[in-house]
Each structure stands twice: as structure tokens, then as C-alpha cells.
Amino acid sequence: MTTFSGSDHFWKGAQTLKVPMELFKLNRQRLCEALRAHRTLPPDSFVFLQGGTSEMRYCSDHEPLFRQESYFHWAFGVIEPDFYGAINVQNGESILFIPRLPAAYVAWMGKIKEPDEFKKIYHVDHVYYVDELEKIFDELVGKSKLILVLNGLNTDSGKESQAAHFPGIEHFHIDKTTLHSIISECRVFKTDMELDVMRYANKISSEAHKFVMLNIKDGMQEYEIESLFQYYCGRYGAMRHMSYTCICATGDNPAILHYGHAGAPNDRQLTSKDMCLFDMGGEYYCYTSDITCSFPVSGRFTNEQRIVYEAVLDANRQVMKAVRPGVSWVDMHLLAERTQLEHLKAAGLVQGDIEEMMSARLCAVFMPHGLGHFIGIDTHDVGGYPNPQSRSTLVGLKSLRTDRTLEERMCITIEPGIYFNQSLLNNAYEDEKLKKFLNKNEIDKYLHIGGVRIEDDIAITSDGCELLTVVPRTCEEIEEWMSHNSKQADGKLDYE
Amino acid sequence: MTTFSGSDHFWKGAQTLKVPMELFKLNRQRLCEALRAHRTLPPDSFVFLQGGTSEMRYCSDHEPLFRQESYFHWAFGVIEPDFYGAINVQNGESILFIPRLPAAYVAWMGKIKEPDEFKKIYHVDHVYYVDELEKIFDELVGKSKLILVLNGLNTDSGKESQAAHFPGIEHFHIDKTTLHSIISECRVFKTDMELDVMRYANKISSEAHKFVMLNIKDGMQEYEIESLFQYYCGRYGAMRHMSYTCICATGDNPAILHYGHAGAPNDRQLTSKDMCLFDMGGEYYCYTSDITCSFPVSGRFTNEQRIVYEAVLDANRQVMKAVRPGVSWVDMHLLAERTQLEHLKAAGLVQGDIEEMMSARLCAVFMPHGLGHFIGIDTHDVGGYPNPQSRSTLVGLKSLRTDRTLEERMCITIEPGIYFNQSLLNNAYEDEKLKKFLNKNEIDKYLHIGGVRIEDDIAITSDGCELLTVVPRTCEEIEEWMSHNSKQADGKLDYE
Ligand SMILES: [Mn+2]
Ligand SMILES: [Mn+2]
């Protein structure tokens, strides 16, 4: 098998990225250092994590393709289900616990790997079987040392992570409160090796977006776009998983932020007059990308499409120029709102004083979501609100997935947007605080656009940011790139 | 949205299949008839089913693309998560319970549909909200009537289906034992409308296999095959879900029956000498297909490849000729084994008396799995063992997913195979009962082939079967089809 053939890296062959297993060793080291710096934690503690489990769909034997749980991936890079892992905080020693597979596995699932093989693949210090967990913990940890397990709130899902467990763990000394915030904080800051994977995931997903632009035709169904994108990511990037369900929105659909879900399954037919909003990203070895491209099916912007597009692009680029360590993400959100409102005012869609609009939270009518979110092993990556109580309650701002001050090595999306959601607009036309700003006659001319979002992934550097996403962004770049769209007959795909 | 635009069918646009919503109404009618025929069940009972639920991956907010729970799909055809459904057994009236969505849904997930809209889409008699479940059950069912919930064993997964539940259901009169076997038995027999969907899923997946044959090249990675197949199914068949994880096995990998899982992720590079075993199928509106094509990367069979291939094909075709109502599936498995052993004997891989080989269960060394399984809304469809105790304990036969006598309207796969699994062979060489039959020197010449499986989906008719799968099957057909493989440069896809 290619994936771990080199024994010191993960690799999917051909032009795909080699990811050194050192990446995970360094992550574990960073975690141990952070834990050792904790004021009250006994230094001889152990971290104990549970990997993702193999699942079957409801009562059937259908097994969805396994994808590793994100904290476990960050610490160990294991691709198989049903593992556990432990780390000695004092000396950094790492242990994996692997499931003991029945002999029949050899015919159905392949060669049964011995503990020593996994030790070499994953560069850990010891490998035991899951059924030895209690015995090994007895020997290594004993009843006196502390076992740190993961338990805490994910502020995007509202769900609590489930503490690792084995029968008998109740006899040990367990700490459920320390690990979650410290390991989440480690995940916020990407190492050089992690940044390489983030760059690769963005590069392939960017190319896949460009591939879609070359092959789009009016008359297509939106789900064909999803297939084109996934095909490129899978074939040329070895991405078996998308970061999230593809959003392939055309016509009015761009106004639906999470369009593409099972109840709105990318099922509209494209017309030559449509604006597209395609929010799609693949992941490589669990590192995600999250990219939105907006462009006209025709390859040529109309006047209205251009006005909205350039408003959003200006917001995106203003933020991109402003970000650097020390800058507040809330301020960036407000900068994007202000920039977009200025454009909407210049075009006559809104009227009045910009500062008054800002106080009235007018921009949330057009952009009900936050400016962007941390990105990493989860698309909406952890650590956005170390203190969940700090979250704003104001419209628009409360949708921000982080309110933090930016620091070097954070990875975050910049994704301003302007949407024409009839329902949100109708509410606003009836709202005493908002209606005076809105020029319904002008706005009506833009309803057919649905919406525009421009989403890039960046890494914060010491003095600004690195742009990871590489797609045509200005109207001119998009029109130039799409002029190579060959409008060939179905079934032929173009890529240069 | 296209999907239910016609209001009396499900349709994904373009050349995809229109599925009448009558399909589900007829399913419900058939269920009610079967329940009314039950000797002791009060006729004024109600069926109560719970649809699949929206999920997030571990503690994150990542939502895998929702796929409906299979019993619920069979009864209602609902594409959204978090529904419940009830059926009045006496008069067949149907009720859907829909989640009450928060107002914010309109910006994130799209227009909030009213109960009346769902009533029209799904052709049910009443629609209420999930939070009205207890109230509606109080009015309609009362404390005296029986509520039938789904609870029983899936013999493929070993899992129990979870009975539908709402807070307060404990105050009603619940029957957990009757529904499971009766609804499972209904699912075994496909209606004409269901057969149309099965035909369509097979047609598209067959075309996708042919598309792979046209575009395969040595030097490719196995996962590129997966991408090609999924691309075709998704783009031309509107199949967002595969029936199961694609098995793209080359080299030695065909010997691993469920190759392609997360721990063996289709990651080998193809060479021109390889035999391929590609077991891949897409599903349309939850109706699955399950097709295996085996062929040489080069497009030309070597002598050894042809011997193994034709042994398996003969078994497949002998079974296909023999199946009809009244025939035992166990006998079909034995027919396939016998046919394959005869070929292996003729080629000198095994020696001795065929009947002795059969008694010694020799063929299970080369084919450790069962001949085939019911197929429908699950790939391994329900109803294989109405009496789980009837299952054989003999090698090979115990892997059969059904031991039933065939009846009209059953859909089942025919998938004989011959595999050269080094580990199974090594065990056999040491087995007193088996080793005398095995000619190791000859077998060694075939090890590089890995294995061959030929899997077709059929529907049992009144006097035989209908073949749903439409792919090149003889060596000559395969060689002819693959002669159109253009060996173009990467990124160009061919389809005629
Ligand atoms: Mn995003
Ligand atoms: Mn099968």
C-alpha cells in the first residue's frame, strides 16, 4: 500500500503531498509542553484519547467510509477506526492501543498488522491491544497518577466531546476539566508541517474550482457541478472526503447559506443568466479547505452582477490587507460590513449614513453570517471561543465563530457575502430601524442574483497573512479564465 | 427545486428516472394488508416509524450528508431527516410528523415548508409537527389501540433496529414484536415501481463501470478509479450516495473481499499486468445497485487470467440459468462451487473427486463468501433469514446472507468468485482434509491474479430471472469494449 510505504510519511502516490509522521510527534510534544506549563497539573500525568469508532447505518450493515475523529487525528494521524492513544506528559512517550482483529479479518479486510508494524507506521513508542488497556494503565499509570481525558464544549456544534473510556477506568484518577481547552488551543496554531498540508488541500481544491469554471455549461444540473468538483479532488488530489457537503447554488439558491443539504440537494438546472455560488472544499489526510467561488454561468458579468461581486471582493481584500497579529476579528467583520455597505450605497441599494447603518446592524440583512472561522482538521475548527460567554448577542456578530485577536499561525477563512434573501428583506422592510435605509426598487433589480460570497483561506503570518487559496478572483481574471471554457459536448472534460 | 417539482414524482432532471410517489403508497398498502392478515393483531392498530436523524461528527458541527433510514424510506420516500410517520392499519391513512424549524432556518437551510406542502410532496393524508406527536396519538390512537413499532434483528449487521419513540409513548399500548418480520418480508418482494428504480440504479452503475473500462490506464492509482466511477454516477445518474464504499482492487488486493475501507484505502498503483476487481454501485433515491467487474488493466486477458475468469463466469451463468421460483439459494451456492471446482480441476489447480471436494468444503478456500444476497434499499437487504437459527454452520455456507427458496420479485446478487488469498491457502495446505486436493505448484502461477468476482443483480421472474446489470461479461465482450480505451493523456475522459 502506498499510504505509508515510506514508513516516515503518509503519501497517496503520484503528485500528492507527502506528510511526515513527525507532524503528529511535534503536535504531541507541543501538547505536553503546554500541559507541563499548567500551574497545578502534576507533571506525571497521562493524556488518554479515544479515536473514532467504526459505525453501521442504523440497524443495517452499511458502513459509511470512516473518517478519524479530529483531536485523535491531530495527536496520532491514525487512519483506522477503533484505536485509543495515550501520552506520558512528563517524557512525551506515546502509546497506541489497537483493536485485536479476529482471524477472519484476513479474508475480508486484509492482512492483520502486528503491533510492531503499527509502531513503525505511526512512529509511536509502544503499541498494545485495546483489550490490554486496563492492564497497561495499571502498570504505567497506577492508581496515583492522573489521567487527562477530553471533555468540553464545541462552540460551533454545541456538543460536548465524549471522554475516552474503557471498562475499569473508574478505578483510576481521572481529570475531565484540564485537557480540552489546552489541546484545543494547541490546535488553533498550525505548525509548519501542518501549514504544508493546509496549502496542499487549498491548492487541489482551488484547481478543482478552476476545473468547474472550465466545464460549466447552462442546462447542467447543479449536482453535476458537485460531481465535477469531487472528481477532480478525488482523482488528482487523493481526497476521498470533502470538508463539507458541496454547496452548488445558482439562481435564487445562493441566498441559502447551507444550500446543498439533503432537503435542498443541488437539484436546480442552470441557465445562462445565473450567478453561481459554489462553496466546496476537499480535505487531505483530514486537513480541510473551504473555498467559495462566485461567477456567472455565462462567463461574463452583467452590470448588476459586477456591482455586487466587486462589493464583496473589496470587503474580502480590505480584510486581507488589514489582518495581522494583534488585530481583532470582530473589527474585521465590521470592516467587511462597512465596505459592503459603502458599495451598496454607491449603487443606490441602500441610503443614509453608513455609521447609522452600522449601529442598526443593517449589513446583517445582506450578510447574516460571520466573516469567517478558524479552519484546520475541522472546517469550523476549534478554539474560537475560549470563553463562550464573550460571544456577542448582536445580529451578525453573534454568528461569528470566533471573536479572538489574531495571532501568527492561526488559519482562518475570509468569506464576506451579499445575499438577496427575500424573507430577510421582507422582515427588514417592516423593521422600523432598518426600512429607512433600504431602497426596495433598486434592491428588486438584484434579487435574481441570489447572492455572492468570496471565501479564501489564510494563515496569519508575523506581519500579515499568507493566502492559501489560488483561484481567479477579480471579474477580469474570472472572465479571462472562463474564456477557455470550451462548451464541449457532454462527457468531455477540459483541463489545461 | 427539481426533485419534487412534478408533485407526483421524485425526479433529478435531465435523463434521470422519475419515481412516482405512488410507489410508497403501494408499499404502505401492502404492509397494511399483511398486517390485517395477521391472525391475532387487532385491525385498528397503528404502525409508527421513526425516520433517520441529522447527525454531527463526534463533537464537531460537521454534518455528513443525510441518507434516509431504509424502512422509513420504503414506507414514505422522505428525503429530509428528523421525520416520523404513522399508518392506520385499518384504512391505510398515513401521517407524517415534521420537525418544527426555527425561523433562522430560512437564511441557512432555505424556505420553511408548511405541513400542507409536505402533504402534497409525499402524498400522505395528514401532516403534523413532531412536537404534536403525543397530542395526535391521543386523539387518533387513544390508550386502547395498539401502536406497532419496529424492533428486531438485522441478520447482516447483528444489530437491532431501534423502536420509534417520543416522550409520552410509554402511556400507550405498544407492540414491539409483530412489525419487524412483516415489514421486512414486504421489503423482500419488489413492486413493479420498485423494479423500475432497481433497473435504473443498475443501468447507471453499469454505464459507470463501462466508463471506467474506457478510461483505465496503467500507472493510475486505484483511488482514481473510485473517482471516475463516482463522477459518472453522480453527474449522469444524479447519485449522490454510493451503495457502499468502492472496492477498487488490483494486484493482490482482489483477494481482500472488502478492500477499499479506511485502512486499505484503494491506494495501490496499477500496472499493465494487473487484474482488476472493481466492486462498485451507486444508489438512486435510496435504491441500491451492487456490481463487480473483473478485467485486465491491459484490456487483454492472459491465459491464466482467462482460465480463472471463465471459471467464475461459468458459475455466474449456470446460476443465472438455474434460478427461478422454487429453487433453493443454498443449492445455487453449491452449484457455483461445483462449477468453479470443475474449472479449477480442468486447469490443474485442484485434483481429485469433485464430490469429495464438495464434502470437504474445498471451494471455500477460493470463495470464502456466499454466492449473493438480497438487494434493495439496503445493499445487503433485509429478510435473508426469517428464522436466524436456520443458518448453516459449514464453511462458505455460513457466509450466505440468505438460505431461502427463491420467489418471484425477489432481487438478489449473483456473485461467485475465485480468490488467491495467501493466508487462506497456507491454512489449507496444512489442513489434513484439504491439502490432498491442492496442487500448490499450479496455484502459485495464479497468485498474482489476486482474484476474480463477477457480480450481477437480478430480479426473480415467474419462470427465471431478469438481469438488471448491463456490462460486457465474456472475455471477448470485455476485450472488444476495452479496445475503445483511448489511452489519452490525463484529464481527458472518453465516453461514447
Ligand atoms: Mn466557510
Ligand atoms: Mn454484493
Side-chain angles (χ1 to χ4, degrees):
Chain A
M1 98 181 199
T2 313
T3 310
F4 292 109
S5 62
S7 91
D8 61 355
H9 56 254
F10 169 98
W11 184 46
K12 303 297 282 185
Q15 74 280 45
T16 64
L17 185 71
K18 291 185 181 177
V19 182
M21 298 311 293
E22 280 290 317
L23 185 156
F24 306 100
K25 189 170 187 180
L26 180 57
N27 282 351
R28 294 191 296 268
Q29 278 174 13
R30 293 174 57 226
L31 175 61
C32 289
E33 280 161 25
L35 288 167
R36 289 198 296 265
H38 188 277
R39 280 172 307 161
T40 60
L41 197 72
D44 59 352
S45 309
F46 276 75
V47 169
F48 179 48
L49 293 170
Q50 180 168 358
T53 49
S54 48
E55 305 278 355
M56 293 188 279
R57 187 178 65 209
Y58 306 112
C59 61
S60 80
D61 71 344
H62 176 95
E63 292 186 57
L65 181 60
F66 174 73
R67 196 271 195 189
Q68 189 55 273
E69 191 278 331
S70 297
Y71 286 99
F72 200 78
H73 182 77
W74 181 87
F76 294 104
V78 165
I79 65 172
E80 292 90 353
D82 305 322
F83 278 47
Y84 293 74
I87 309 166
N88 181 328
V89 173
Q90 197 153 34
N91 63 18
E93 273 195 353
S94 52
I95 312 169
L96 279 177
F97 297 89
I98 64 175
R100 196 186 296 269
L101 299 171
Y105 189 93
V106 70
W108 295 85
M109 306 291 271
K111 181 172 174 301
I112 299 177
K113 293 195 191 78
E114 298 294 320
D116 263 2
E117 293 174 82
F118 279 118
K119 198 176 137 179
K120 280 185 197 133
I121 287 173
Y122 292 120
H123 289 226
V124 292
D125 297 300
H126 310 281
V127 176
Y128 303 103
Y129 288 104
V130 168
D131 55 29
E132 300 175 298
L133 267 164
E134 186 170 10
K135 191 187 79 172
I136 300 300
F137 270 77
D138 258 337
E139 292 168 15
L140 285 182
V141 180
K143 306 295 184 209
S144 62
K145 296 176 194 163
L146 205 55
I147 301 178
L148 310 173
V149 295
L150 195 62
N151 191 230
L153 179 73
N154 181 303
T155 51
D156 290 307
S157 65
K159 285 170 76 178
E160 296 269 335
S161 51
Q162 288 304 304
H165 182 82
F166 60 82
I169 197 170
E170 59 277 11
H171 305 309
F172 293 86
H173 190 188
I174 307 294
D175 174 325
K176 286 192 169 190
T177 57
T178 309
L179 181 59
H180 186 269
S181 61
I182 292 179
I183 191 172
S184 299
E185 195 62 12
C186 286
R187 279 180 59 186
V188 169
F189 300 94
K190 274 67 178 178
T191 65
D192 288 345
M193 288 181 281
E194 287 183 298
L195 285 173
D196 278 342
V197 196
M198 296 294 291
R199 283 183 195 105
Y200 175 81
N202 250 274
K203 171 179 171 288
I204 297 293
S205 299
S206 295
E207 289 173 5
H209 273 283
K210 291 170 72 178
F211 178 72
V212 164
M213 288 182 196
L214 282 190
N215 287 284
I216 196 167
K217 280 176 282 290
D218 67 85
M220 269 186 178
Q221 306 287 331
E222 289 166 340
Y223 57 75
E224 296 187 54
I225 302 299
E226 178 173 355
S227 293
L228 284 163
F229 184 84
Q230 292 186 172
Y231 162 71
Y232 191 96
C233 289
R235 180 159 185 198
Y236 299 105
M239 291 165 158
R240 283 186 107 186
H241 292 277
M242 293 293 103
S243 306
Y244 49 91
T245 300
C246 290
I247 299 171
C248 305
T250 64
D252 295 341
N253 295 327
I256 306 169
L257 301 177
H258 285 176
Y259 185 73
H261 59 87
N266 293 332
D267 61 353
R268 183 179 171 277
Q269 189 174 30
L270 278 60
T271 77
S272 58
K273 294 184 176 173
D274 289 338
M275 192 70 187
C276 303
L277 185 159
F278 296 157
D279 186 346
M280 309 188 281
E283 63 174 50
Y284 186 74
Y285 202 15
C286 296
Y287 282 84
T288 67
S289 65
D290 184 1
I291 300 173
T292 308
C293 291
S294 299
F295 55 89
V297 169
S298 67
R300 290 265 151 208
F301 285 85
T302 64
N303 198 36
E304 285 83 10
Q305 288 169 343
R306 182 182 297 263
I307 284 168
V308 178
Y309 187 87
E310 292 190 334
V312 178
L313 184 63
D314 193 17
N316 175 299
R317 289 327 197 219
Q318 296 275 352
V319 169
M320 206 174 285
K321 270 179 228 154
V323 290
R324 60 177 51 83
V327 165
S328 147
W329 191 244
V330 175
D331 288 346
M332 293 298 95
H333 182 90
L334 297 173
L335 170 60
E337 285 193 342
R338 185 175 283 109
T339 306
Q340 294 190 151
L341 287 174
E342 281 163 1
H343 280 262
L344 292 176
K345 183 177 172 182
L349 284 79
V350 302
Q351 61 210 2
D353 180 69
I354 297 283
E355 291 314 309
E356 278 183 45
M357 295 178 201
M358 291 294 290
S359 305
R361 310 294 316 121
L362 179 70
C363 197
V365 175
F366 298 97
M367 182 174 90
H369 62 72
L371 174 64
H373 49 84
F374 287 151
I375 180 165
I377 300 178
D378 288 314
T379 306
H380 297 154
D381 213 24
V382 295
Y385 287 97
N387 170 18
Q389 277 73 46
S390 74
R391 196 161 192 150
S392 171
T393 54
L394 293 173
V395 186
L397 291 173
K398 71 181 176 190
S399 296
L400 275 173
R401 295 182 184 276
T402 182
D403 65 353
R404 290 179 68 162
T405 298
L406 297 175
E407 297 177 60
E408 197 176 345
R409 296 189 180 280
M410 286 176 168
C411 285
I412 197 162
T413 67
I414 303 179
E415 50 176 309
I418 293 177
Y419 313 93
F420 299 93
N421 184 306
Q422 190 67 73
S423 164
L424 294 189
L425 284 167
N426 286 346
N427 291 345
Y429 293 142
E430 313 236 311
D431 186 316
E432 286 305 321
K433 285 194 200 128
L434 299 175
K435 65 183 187 187
K436 65 181 173 188
F437 298 116
L438 298 166
N439 188 343
K440 182 171 182 306
N441 285 342
E442 277 305 306
I443 290 170
D444 280 349
K445 296 179 191 163
Y446 291 79
L447 288 177
H448 68 282
I449 292 178
V452 165
R453 177 163 63 251
I454 300 175
E455 178 174 28
D456 288 304
D457 301 346
I458 61 164
I460 304 295
T461 59
S462 61
D463 61 351
C465 76
E466 175 188 343
L467 175 58
L468 307 175
T469 308
V470 196
V471 292
R473 277 303 190 209
T474 65
C475 291
E476 293 67 34
E477 286 166 358
I478 290 169
E479 291 185 346
E480 203 284 321
W481 179 253
M482 291 186 70
S483 72
H484 302 295
N485 180 316
S486 60
K487 311 276 177 203
Q488 289 190 68
D490 261 15
K492 298 276 187 185
L493 294 179
D494 231 25
Y495 198 69
E496 322 185 81
Chain B
M1 98 183 203
T2 314
T3 309
F4 292 109
S5 61
S7 92
D8 60 356
H9 56 254
F10 170 97
W11 183 47
K12 303 297 281 185
Q15 73 280 45
T16 64
L17 185 71
K18 291 184 181 177
V19 181
M21 298 311 293
E22 280 291 316
L23 186 157
F24 305 100
K25 188 170 189 180
L26 179 57
N27 283 351
R28 294 192 296 269
Q29 278 175 12
R30 292 173 58 226
L31 175 61
C32 289
E33 281 161 25
L35 289 167
R36 289 197 296 262
H38 188 279
R39 279 173 308 161
T40 60
L41 197 72
D44 59 351
S45 308
F46 276 75
V47 169
F48 179 47
L49 293 170
Q50 179 168 0
T53 49
S54 47
E55 306 278 355
M56 291 187 279
R57 188 176 66 209
Y58 306 111
C59 62
S60 81
D61 71 344
H62 176 95
E63 292 185 58
L65 181 59
F66 174 73
R67 196 272 194 189
Q68 188 55 274
E69 191 278 331
S70 296
Y71 286 99
F72 199 79
H73 182 77
W74 181 87
F76 294 103
V78 165
I79 64 172
E80 293 89 353
D82 304 324
F83 277 48
Y84 292 74
I87 309 167
N88 181 327
V89 174
Q90 198 153 32
N91 63 19
E93 273 194 353
S94 52
I95 311 169
L96 279 177
F97 297 88
I98 64 175
R100 197 187 295 271
L101 300 171
Y105 189 94
V106 69
W108 295 85
M109 307 290 272
K111 182 174 173 301
I112 299 177
K113 294 196 190 76
E114 298 293 321
D116 263 2
E117 293 174 80
F118 280 119
K119 197 175 138 181
K120 281 185 195 132
I121 287 174
Y122 292 121
H123 289 226
V124 291
D125 298 300
H126 309 281
V127 176
Y128 304 102
Y129 288 104
V130 168
D131 56 28
E132 300 175 298
L133 267 163
E134 186 170 9
K135 190 187 81 174
I136 300 299
F137 270 76
D138 258 337
E139 293 170 13
L140 285 182
V141 180
K143 306 295 183 208
S144 61
K145 295 177 194 162
L146 205 54
I147 301 178
L148 310 174
V149 295
L150 195 64
N151 191 230
L153 180 73
N154 182 303
T155 52
D156 291 306
S157 65
K159 286 170 75 178
E160 297 269 335
S161 51
Q162 287 304 304
H165 182 81
F166 60 82
I169 196 171
E170 60 276 9
H171 305 309
F172 293 86
H173 191 189
I174 307 293
D175 174 325
K176 286 192 170 191
T177 58
T178 308
L179 181 60
H180 186 269
S181 62
I182 293 178
I183 192 172
S184 298
E185 196 62 13
C186 286
R187 280 180 58 186
V188 169
F189 301 95
K190 273 66 178 178
T191 64
D192 288 345
M193 287 181 282
E194 287 183 297
L195 286 173
D196 278 342
V197 196
M198 296 294 291
R199 283 184 195 105
Y200 175 81
N202 250 275
K203 171 180 171 286
I204 297 294
S205 299
S206 295
E207 289 172 5
H209 273 284
K210 291 171 72 177
F211 178 71
V212 164
M213 289 181 194
L214 282 191
N215 287 285
I216 196 167
K217 281 176 281 290
D218 68 83
M220 269 186 178
Q221 306 287 330
E222 289 166 341
Y223 57 76
E224 296 186 53
I225 302 298
E226 178 174 355
S227 293
L228 283 163
F229 184 84
Q230 293 186 173
Y231 162 71
Y232 191 96
C233 289
R235 180 159 185 197
Y236 299 105
M239 291 165 157
R240 285 185 105 186
H241 292 277
M242 293 293 103
S243 305
Y244 49 92
T245 300
C246 290
I247 299 172
C248 304
T250 64
D252 296 340
N253 295 328
I256 305 169
L257 300 178
H258 284 176
Y259 184 73
H261 60 86
N266 294 332
D267 62 353
R268 183 179 171 277
Q269 189 173 30
L270 279 60
T271 79
S272 59
K273 294 183 176 172
D274 289 338
M275 193 70 187
C276 304
L277 186 161
F278 296 157
D279 186 347
M280 308 188 281
E283 63 174 49
Y284 186 74
Y285 202 15
C286 295
Y287 282 83
T288 67
S289 65
D290 183 1
I291 300 173
T292 309
C293 292
S294 298
F295 56 89
V297 169
S298 68
R300 290 265 152 209
F301 286 84
T302 65
N303 199 35
E304 284 84 9
Q305 288 170 342
R306 182 181 296 264
I307 284 167
V308 179
Y309 187 87
E310 292 189 334
V312 178
L313 184 63
D314 193 15
N316 175 299
R317 288 327 196 219
Q318 296 275 351
V319 169
M320 208 174 283
K321 270 179 228 152
V323 290
R324 60 177 50 81
V327 164
S328 148
W329 191 242
V330 175
D331 288 346
M332 293 299 94
H333 181 89
L334 296 172
L335 170 60
E337 285 193 343
R338 185 176 283 110
T339 306
Q340 294 191 154
L341 287 173
E342 281 163 359
H343 280 262
L344 292 175
K345 183 178 172 182
L349 285 78
V350 302
Q351 60 209 5
D353 180 68
I354 297 282
E355 291 314 311
E356 277 183 46
M357 295 178 201
M358 291 295 290
S359 304
R361 310 294 316 120
L362 179 70
C363 196
V365 175
F366 298 97
M367 182 173 89
H369 61 72
L371 174 65
H373 49 83
F374 287 150
I375 180 166
I377 299 177
D378 287 315
T379 307
H380 297 155
D381 213 24
V382 295
Y385 287 98
N387 171 19
Q389 277 73 45
S390 74
R391 196 161 191 149
S392 171
T393 55
L394 295 172
V395 186
L397 290 173
K398 72 180 176 190
S399 297
L400 274 173
R401 295 183 184 276
T402 182
D403 64 354
R404 291 179 67 162
T405 298
L406 297 175
E407 297 178 60
E408 197 176 344
R409 296 190 179 279
M410 286 176 167
C411 285
I412 197 162
T413 67
I414 303 179
E415 50 175 310
I418 293 178
Y419 312 92
F420 299 94
N421 184 306
Q422 191 67 72
S423 164
L424 295 188
L425 285 166
N426 286 346
N427 291 346
Y429 293 142
E430 313 236 312
D431 187 315
E432 286 304 322
K433 286 196 199 123
L434 299 174
K435 65 183 186 187
K436 65 180 174 189
F437 299 116
L438 298 166
N439 188 342
K440 182 172 182 308
N441 286 342
E442 277 305 306
I443 290 170
D444 282 349
K445 296 177 192 164
Y446 291 78
L447 289 177
H448 68 281
I449 292 176
V452 165
R453 177 164 63 251
I454 300 175
E455 178 174 27
D456 288 305
D457 302 346
I458 61 164
I460 305 295
T461 59
S462 61
D463 61 351
C465 76
E466 174 188 344
L467 176 58
L468 307 175
T469 308
V470 197
V471 293
R473 278 302 189 209
T474 67
C475 292
E476 293 68 35
E477 285 166 357
I478 290 169
E479 291 184 345
E480 203 283 321
W481 180 253
M482 290 186 70
S483 72
H484 301 295
N485 180 317
S486 60
K487 312 276 178 202
Q488 288 190 68
D490 261 15
K492 296 277 187 183
L493 294 180
D494 231 25
Y495 198 71
E496 324 186 78

